[in-house]
Amino acid sequence: MNLQAVRRSMLLALPFQAGALIVALALWAAGLPAQVLLTVLLALSMWAPAAAELVFRTTLPRALQLHYLIFITLGPYAGSALNVYVAIADWDTLIHFDSGVMLAWLGMLWVRRIEERSSISLPAWFSLTVIQLTAMAFAAAWEICEFASDQLIGTVSQGSLEDTMADIMAGTMGGLFAITLLLILGRPRSIAPASLLRDAHRAAVRNGR
């Protein structure tokens, strides 16, 4: 594993971490609502891509890393630490939809790495199933994390059972949206499995694109 790649990933997260901490501390000092402890935990979580590269001995595409950092900033940080979830009713649903897109991208990358390392082309149905189940599984796991955060730290991420199920459904729809973009437009190419890109190319030819 290239340690330079891990270092670049950590440096990529640094501006997001510093900005989150500065804003939270400024709001706290001004007596406005801000969860400083949660902000610190989220800032540390921004190093997750670098940790994944180190543990799994791979390199994560920059597009996926940026999507993750923006998701953490606009979702758990702005939503929970800065209480945007309370201020904007639909913010939570939009963030969960975006998480479904991001996690489907992660599923695409997993399939791509398997194909690269094994030099095989996986069946399209299997690849698409893995991609969609990745989004759905993480959507459910995220709700567990939100419940734990509300109970242990005092955040207000979850409001009701209906809210929880709506979030899981939003993540599921985000995964389906990402798959649709892949099959129709062949995007994003830096993450998508080669076998599915070929399928997308054939579909584009049939549609006259």
Side-chain angles (χ1 to χ4, degrees):
M1 176 59 201
N2 187 353
L3 292 179
Q4 285 295 108
V6 176
R7 181 174 177 272
R8 286 194 296 269
S9 296
M10 295 180 70
L11 290 175
L12 180 65
L14 191 58
F16 291 88
Q17 293 172 313
L21 290 170
I22 289 171
V23 171
L25 288 173
L27 291 174
W28 176 77
L32 298 174
Q35 305 250 0
V36 177
L37 175 59
L38 179 59
T39 299
V40 172
L41 295 176
L42 291 174
L44 292 174
S45 76
M46 292 179 182
W47 274 333
E53 289 183 326
L54 188 61
V55 171
F56 296 107
R57 299 179 179 276
T58 189
T59 300
L60 297 180
R62 188 58 58 95
L64 183 59
Q65 293 193 47
L66 282 173
H67 196 156
Y68 171 77
L69 293 170
I70 293 170
F71 165 75
I72 291 294
T73 300
L74 297 181
Y77 172 63
S80 294
L82 302 183
N83 300 301
V84 175
Y85 286 147
V86 176
I88 303 176
D90 294 330
W91 191 257
D92 190 37
T93 302
L94 293 173
I95 292 301
H96 279 278
F97 180 86
D98 179 68
S99 75
V101 176
M102 177 185 69
L103 292 167
W105 283 13
L106 180 61
M108 292 177 196
L109 182 63
W110 282 350
V111 174
R112 179 175 179 139
R113 290 290 187 259
I114 292 172
E115 290 186 340
E116 289 174 347
R117 294 181 181 183
S118 60
S119 299
I120 62 173
S121 180
L122 295 173
W125 68 265
F126 179 81
S127 299
L128 294 174
T129 300
V130 169
I131 293 167
Q132 182 59 35
L133 288 181
T134 300
M136 295 173 66
F138 274 93
W142 187 259
E143 290 305 308
I144 296 174
C145 293
E146 284 191 343
F147 176 79
S149 175
D150 287 353
Q151 297 298 312
L152 299 176
I153 304 178
T155 56
V156 288
S157 302
Q158 291 185 325
S160 64
L161 175 61
E162 290 77 9
D163 173 72
T164 298
M165 294 308 301
D167 290 345
I168 294 176
M169 291 175 63
T172 300
M173 295 304 295
L176 290 172
F177 178 74
I179 288 175
T180 301
L181 289 181
L182 173 65
L183 294 180
I184 295 177
L185 302 178
R187 296 291 187 273
R189 288 187 169 276
S190 63
I191 295 171
S195 57
L196 293 180
L197 282 177
R198 286 194 292 270
D199 290 341
H201 175 70
R202 287 194 293 268
V205 170
R206 285 197 299 269
N207 292 331
R209 290 189 177 89

